[in-house]
mmCIF file of all heavy atoms in Angstrom:
data_model
loop_
_atom_site.group_PDB
_atom_site.id
_atom_site.type_symbol
_atom_site.label_atom_id
_atom_site.label_comp_id
_atom_site.label_asym_id
_atom_site.label_seq_id
_atom_site.Cartn_x
_atom_site.Cartn_y
_atom_site.Cartn_z
ATOM 1 N N THR A 165 -39.114 47.267 -5.125
ATOM 2 C CA THR A 165 -37.676 46.956 -5.027
ATOM 3 C C THR A 165 -36.957 47.855 -4.011
ATOM 4 O O THR A 165 -36.262 47.388 -3.172
ATOM 5 C CB THR A 165 -37.037 47.259 -6.443
ATOM 6 O OG1 THR A 165 -37.639 46.372 -7.454
ATOM 7 C CG2 THR A 165 -35.492 47.019 -6.417
ATOM 8 N N VAL A 166 -37.264 49.110 -4.052
ATOM 9 C CA VAL A 166 -36.598 50.069 -3.157
ATOM 10 C C VAL A 166 -37.116 49.834 -1.735
ATOM 11 O O VAL A 166 -36.341 49.873 -0.754
ATOM 12 C CB VAL A 166 -36.785 51.490 -3.629
ATOM 13 C CG1 VAL A 166 -36.178 52.525 -2.601
ATOM 14 C CG2 VAL A 166 -36.127 51.727 -5.027
ATOM 15 N N ALA A 169 -35.400 46.944 -0.155
ATOM 16 C CA ALA A 169 -34.018 47.266 0.093
ATOM 17 C C ALA A 169 -33.970 48.036 1.408
ATOM 18 O O ALA A 169 -33.164 47.837 2.298
ATOM 19 C CB ALA A 169 -33.437 47.939 -1.051
ATOM 20 N N ARG A 270 -24.482 45.833 -0.012
ATOM 21 C CA ARG A 270 -23.916 45.903 -1.422
ATOM 22 C C ARG A 270 -24.970 45.350 -2.448
ATOM 23 O O ARG A 270 -25.154 45.966 -3.483
ATOM 24 C CB ARG A 270 -22.634 45.222 -1.556
ATOM 25 C CG ARG A 270 -21.515 46.011 -0.784
ATOM 26 C CD ARG A 270 -20.094 45.483 -1.135
ATOM 27 N NE ARG A 270 -19.167 46.534 -0.938
ATOM 28 C CZ ARG A 270 -18.772 47.412 -1.882
ATOM 29 N NH1 ARG A 270 -19.343 47.396 -3.041
ATOM 30 N NH2 ARG A 270 -17.883 48.326 -1.609
ATOM 31 N N GLU A 271 -25.672 44.356 -2.083
ATOM 32 C CA GLU A 271 -26.786 43.825 -2.951
ATOM 33 C C GLU A 271 -27.897 44.931 -3.081
ATOM 34 O O GLU A 271 -28.435 45.076 -4.229
ATOM 35 C CB GLU A 271 -27.355 42.563 -2.396
ATOM 36 C CG GLU A 271 -26.448 41.399 -2.398
ATOM 37 C CD GLU A 271 -26.966 40.178 -1.637
ATOM 38 O OE1 GLU A 271 -28.091 40.218 -1.113
ATOM 39 O OE2 GLU A 271 -26.215 39.212 -1.552
ATOM 40 N N ARG A 272 -28.187 45.552 -1.986
ATOM 41 C CA ARG A 272 -29.213 46.646 -2.078
ATOM 42 C C ARG A 272 -28.747 47.848 -2.874
ATOM 43 O O ARG A 272 -29.597 48.452 -3.504
ATOM 44 C CB ARG A 272 -29.606 47.044 -0.599
ATOM 45 C CG ARG A 272 -30.205 45.950 0.221
ATOM 46 C CD ARG A 272 -30.393 46.332 1.622
ATOM 47 N NE ARG A 272 -30.971 45.185 2.375
ATOM 48 C CZ ARG A 272 -30.414 44.618 3.407
ATOM 49 N NH1 ARG A 272 -29.343 45.186 3.957
ATOM 50 N NH2 ARG A 272 -31.018 43.604 3.992
ATOM 51 N N ILE A 273 -27.532 48.097 -2.768
ATOM 52 C CA ILE A 273 -26.964 49.267 -3.568
ATOM 53 C C ILE A 273 -27.152 48.912 -5.096
ATOM 54 O O ILE A 273 -27.602 49.811 -5.826
ATOM 55 C CB ILE A 273 -25.411 49.503 -3.235
ATOM 56 C CG1 ILE A 273 -25.284 50.143 -1.884
ATOM 57 C CG2 ILE A 273 -24.826 50.322 -4.343
ATOM 58 C CD1 ILE A 273 -23.874 50.115 -1.368
ATOM 59 N N GLU A 274 -26.836 47.735 -5.390
ATOM 60 C CA GLU A 274 -27.004 47.344 -6.843
ATOM 61 C C GLU A 274 -28.526 47.350 -7.260
ATOM 62 O O GLU A 274 -28.819 47.824 -8.290
ATOM 63 C CB GLU A 274 -26.422 45.883 -7.020
ATOM 64 C CG GLU A 274 -26.303 45.541 -8.457
ATOM 65 C CD GLU A 274 -25.550 44.170 -8.603
ATOM 66 O OE1 GLU A 274 -24.552 43.972 -8.030
ATOM 67 O OE2 GLU A 274 -26.112 43.349 -9.407
ATOM 68 N N ALA A 275 -29.287 46.851 -6.365
ATOM 69 C CA ALA A 275 -30.773 46.739 -6.719
ATOM 70 C C ALA A 275 -31.486 48.126 -6.844
ATOM 71 O O ALA A 275 -32.420 48.232 -7.523
ATOM 72 C CB ALA A 275 -31.501 45.929 -5.602
ATOM 73 N N THR A 276 -30.987 49.085 -6.158
ATOM 74 C CA THR A 276 -31.550 50.435 -6.101
ATOM 75 C C THR A 276 -30.958 51.404 -7.076
ATOM 76 O O THR A 276 -31.440 52.533 -7.265
ATOM 77 C CB THR A 276 -31.561 51.019 -4.737
ATOM 78 O OG1 THR A 276 -30.234 51.075 -4.234
ATOM 79 C CG2 THR A 276 -32.416 50.281 -3.732
ATOM 80 N N GLU A 277 -29.914 50.954 -7.793
ATOM 81 C CA GLU A 277 -29.228 51.877 -8.762
ATOM 82 C C GLU A 277 -30.234 52.570 -9.674
ATOM 83 O O GLU A 277 -30.177 53.787 -9.888
ATOM 84 C CB GLU A 277 -28.135 51.180 -9.513
ATOM 85 C CG GLU A 277 -27.356 51.955 -10.536
ATOM 86 C CD GLU A 277 -26.393 51.253 -11.258
ATOM 87 O OE1 GLU A 277 -26.292 50.025 -11.211
ATOM 88 O OE2 GLU A 277 -25.569 51.925 -11.979
ATOM 89 N N LYS A 278 -30.994 51.847 -10.427
ATOM 90 C CA LYS A 278 -31.899 52.337 -11.470
ATOM 91 C C LYS A 278 -33.208 52.888 -10.907
ATOM 92 O O LYS A 278 -33.657 53.983 -11.232
ATOM 93 C CB LYS A 278 -32.055 51.377 -12.583
ATOM 94 C CG LYS A 278 -30.902 51.164 -13.465
ATOM 95 C CD LYS A 278 -31.223 50.389 -14.707
ATOM 96 C CE LYS A 278 -30.083 50.023 -15.581
ATOM 97 N NZ LYS A 278 -28.839 50.678 -15.503
ATOM 98 N N PRO A 279 -33.820 52.134 -9.973
ATOM 99 C CA PRO A 279 -35.152 52.558 -9.507
ATOM 100 C C PRO A 279 -35.098 53.795 -8.654
ATOM 101 O O PRO A 279 -36.063 54.635 -8.652
ATOM 102 C CB PRO A 279 -35.702 51.409 -8.790
ATOM 103 C CG PRO A 279 -34.638 50.501 -8.552
ATOM 104 C CD PRO A 279 -33.541 50.733 -9.537
ATOM 105 N N ASP A 280 -34.048 54.026 -7.895
ATOM 106 C CA ASP A 280 -34.056 55.207 -6.985
ATOM 107 C C ASP A 280 -32.636 55.530 -6.551
ATOM 108 O O ASP A 280 -32.178 55.096 -5.481
ATOM 109 C CB ASP A 280 -34.882 54.913 -5.730
ATOM 110 C CG ASP A 280 -35.108 56.140 -4.912
ATOM 111 O OD1 ASP A 280 -34.892 57.258 -5.400
ATOM 112 O OD2 ASP A 280 -35.416 56.029 -3.707
#
Side-chain angles (χ1 to χ4, degrees):
T165 299
V166 177
R270 287 189 157 274
E271 291 170 5
R272 294 175 184 124
I273 289 168
E274 189 174 317
T276 55
E277 179 182 9
K278 289 194 185 339
D280 187 22

